[in-house]
Amino acid sequence: MSVSPPRTSPITEKTDPDGPPRVRLLVLEGPDRGRSALVEGGTVVVGTLPDCQLVLTDDTVSRQHVSLELLGPRVRVRDLKSRNGTRYLGARVEVVEVPLGAIVSLGKTRLALLPADAALERLSEQTELAGLLGRSLAMRRLFAEVERVAPVDISVLIQGETGTGKEGIARALHALSGKTGALRAFDCGAVPASLLPGVLFGHARGAFTGAVADTPGAIEAAHEGTLFLDEVAELPLEVQPTFLRVLETGRFCRLGETRERHVRFRLVAATHRDLTAAMKKGTFRPDLYHRLASLVLHAPPLRERLDDIPLLAEHFARSFGASLPLSPASLATLTAYHWPGNVRELRNAVERTLTLGANAALPELAPPDGAKEDFHAARERVLLVFERSYLEAQLARHRGSASAAARDAGLARSYFYRLLKTHGLLPGRGGS
């Protein structure tokens, strides 16, 4: 007799599952935007009837639209035969278990299911901002920061993993800054260290072999605009004092010249490296770091913005000329993968999906023997694959210590042990 796999949810929840189930419901989009309710225990109903625990005025929401059963770190979402349906991660659902932090759609309303102690912080109303796309809480927080910071003429440091779209954030900051000059992007890791000063500061004719004409550098090209310094951790140590002087005085000399030039620009730097560790190693100057990091923005990894995957995937599909939307099975596979390469990897996967099919895009998550699956079955299977691989990697990283692995993952230890038991993984001797 076959045994159905256990129901799972992405490993992102930090709430202790042994605590009392309490959830904050927050309307992100729709006529009732900003309305919230704190609910505790049992099952609550959302709809337009006055006796619902969260009452909405959206005319596309049914009288009793959806029930939410609080399950500690998860919520069981059940559509109550509503006329316009309930959607999660782009797919219409009847019953689905979601982690806290998830967003479900009821008609025109998008409803966030948050931990009870989540602050009612400022969130942007936008789902598209100067080329950036996102409906998730993580991106709405980022959009609000970009909207607040863009008009302020101070340096910004963008931190985030490779492929998270740091240059896109820089372009959004520039687009909303009101500056008359251009944005000039300069990748510190793409230019050999010996050539970098000439490319960054410009050079005079004859400054070195092959310098046949006076040539402005990236700094001059950014005058009255924005200089985006990508992979700033790769800026050679010997160049850092000169660049710091430019930031402090607005003056510099081209390579091979003695005449000072004046420049004015807004600096946006980005890195995927830990600059604090680089300072301790002596490869990055503390004074330059503090000048760069007047304000720090964090580009969220794709695994923290799963609600954006259908939106991004359809955007990429259209950019590749697709005339039809991606299939539910393709979206299910895409939303359950852990995306170590982030948005850049998603874009490549969408291109492979359109060219070769969903199984070729992420072959490690393909259904066995080419079996056909609906959205829920596909997502359930790939979540199991993701969870097991994640748990194994965490245990290996911490030499079998489940306690250390749980802390690093941001999970309650009891929940982490429960997942280990579900997947048949036993911690080593150090796992107490």
Side-chain angles (χ1 to χ4, degrees), residues 343-361:
V343 177
R344 185 180 298 137
E345 186 183 10
L346 173 63
R347 183 181 186 277
N348 295 338
V350 170
E351 185 174 22
R352 291 196 302 273
T353 296
L354 294 174
T355 306
L356 303 172
N359 294 350

Side-chain angles (χ1 to χ4, degrees), residues 77-79 85-89 91-96 104 375-376:
V77 178
R78 185 185 303 274
D79 183 76
T86 301
R87 293 183 176 273
Y88 175 58
L89 297 179
R92 188 162 180 164
V93 297
E94 293 182 3
V95 181
V96 64
V104 294
F375 177 91
H376 306 290

Side-chain angles (χ1 to χ4, degrees), residues 312-364:
L312 293 169
E314 293 294 352
H315 168 74
F316 292 141
R318 288 193 300 271
S319 72
F320 292 129
S323 56
L324 296 174
L326 294 171
S327 69
S330 295
L331 285 175
T333 301
L334 295 176
T335 54
Y337 185 55
H338 57 286
W339 300 110
N342 294 296
V343 177
R344 185 180 298 137
E345 186 183 10
L346 173 63
R347 183 181 186 277
N348 295 338
V350 170
E351 185 174 22
R352 291 196 302 273
T353 296
L354 294 174
T355 306
L356 303 172
N359 294 350
L362 297 170
E364 63 271 37

Side-chain angles (χ1 to χ4, degrees), residues 153-175:
D153 198 9
I154 60 174
S155 299
V156 176
L157 176 64
I158 306 171
Q159 295 181 318
E161 298 174 9
T162 299
T164 50
K166 295 185 288 293
E167 183 170 346
I169 297 172
R171 293 189 178 280
L173 286 168
H174 176 71

